[in-house]
Amino acid sequence: MVIIIIIIIIIIIIIIIIIILTSGILIARIVPSIIAQIQNTQGLQPVIMDRSLKAELIFDGLRNPTSMAFLGRDEILVLEKDQGTVQEIVNRTILPLPILRVNISTDGERGLLGIAVAQHPATQSGKSNTFVFLYYTENKNGASVGNRVYRYSFIDNKLVNPKLILSLPADPGPFHNGGKVIIGPDKNVYAVIGDLLTHRTEAQNVPSGGPPDLTSGVIRATQDGEVVPNSPLGNNYPLNRYYAYGIRNSFGLDFDPVTKKLWDTENGPNYGDEINLVEAGFNSGWAKVQGIWTPVGSIGGEDTGQESVHPSDLVTFGGKGKYSAPEFIWSQTVAPTALKFFNSTLLGKRYQNDLFVGDYNNGNLYHFKLNQNRTQLLLNSKFADKIAYTPEDAATFILGSGFGGGITDLQVGPNGFLYVLTFGGSIYRIGPNNSPG
């Protein structure tokens, strides 16, 4: 009898131990999941410093999106970098299938990168005459053949009739492909490409490097792919394709709606991110200057050298190329991406025609006002040299933070709100706190 009681006690103890161990395993599995869900939920709630505004999640679940464009009030085309897919979102719902899939290279910063829409009056047959321009690293038979800008017609909810507009290099890569494309006030197509990391030609301000090769520049063409007359740098190929040069890499282009002037963002190596006013023939100074400092060190590992506020050893193409210092510099890199002028009053008149900039490293949204003639950013005396030396300095201009995965694009929708695209796969709408859902 005693033996039976002992056996029963042992069995009970074993059962209790099993329950404790099993519970521990379940807790070990469940708790991280709960924490992750909480963190994910927190990641979907960016913070807007202006309490009169809010960030509303419009869509989530995209795969590494790079750029977006509006077709209509509630129609957004979004590019997925590594899938080569153009997705269409209508009334916050993604269509079951991509409207286009292209063959791309995806290593490094290659991929499906930029989109712009040009809407023209309907044809005589009544069909919409909408062009969609795509910038991507084209792949044929498993090899990259170049960075391309193609024009597609948007017909019956499909992108058809591709026409090659710009053929740009992609080798050796796979970094610094740029990729943003935009339609200018002159109706021409503007695309930005970087130095592909190692190109060192006259376009990178290396006099002995040979002629420009369609890298490190804002490259321009008509919507039919023809040369735009009166190029600021020269009438011979390839200079007749350049609008600006000396650009290390860029993920942001936009035209000021008031002055019609072009602005860009530029990524430095590990210092000297920039915002620039890009006049015709603009020379951004790379690879002789980044920010206001001379790069030192090997390619891909450049660091801050001496100050070079007025560099004198730049390529000017007979005086046609004009260098000007950045309008704003982050001394410590944030990887600025899209920039957008807010040509709307729906966030309040205090934001009308102001400049918004996103960054990839931190998921921050920056806000800048411009001076009266709109040739410079309106900065207080602390930033008289136009440089944010520390993250605390940069925080002065942060309007929003917590955009998970980093910001890749900014657009003003037909409804007048500001839209933010993140590499984490989300689209947010910035609007007044009292705006309807």
Side-chain angles (χ1 to χ4, degrees), residues 185-255:
D186 57 3
K187 307 304 181 185
N188 293 312
V189 181
Y190 294 74
V192 65
I193 185 170
D195 64 0
L196 301 177
L197 188 61
T198 60
H199 284 234
R200 293 295 181 266
T201 71
E202 291 178 329
Q204 289 85 25
N205 289 287
V206 178
S208 62
D213 59 358
L214 296 179
T215 60
S216 282
V218 176
I219 312 299
R220 184 174 63 166
T222 70
Q223 293 189 25
D224 291 321
E226 302 298 326
V227 173
V228 177
N230 302 316
S231 170
L233 297 177
N235 295 321
N236 296 324
Y237 181 85
L239 275 180
N240 57 2
R241 291 290 192 177
Y242 276 86
Y243 184 80
Y245 65 105
I247 297 170
R248 181 179 180 272
N249 198 30
S250 173
F251 298 104
L253 292 176
D254 197 28
F255 283 90

Side-chain angles (χ1 to χ4, degrees), residues 330-375:
W330 288 267
S331 176
Q332 299 182 26
T333 56
V334 300
T337 51
L339 80 168
K340 192 67 184 175
F341 286 94
F342 188 68
N343 58 335
S344 169
T345 60
L346 288 187
L347 299 186
K349 287 189 176 181
R350 64 187 177 281
Y351 293 110
Q352 185 177 12
N353 293 323
D354 288 357
L355 180 62
F356 291 88
V357 178
D359 83 27
Y360 176 81
N361 285 357
N362 309 298
N364 288 332
L365 177 66
Y366 303 86
H367 167 236
F368 297 92
K369 301 193 79 66
L370 280 75
N371 64 358
Q372 187 171 3
N373 60 9
R374 301 184 68 82
T375 57

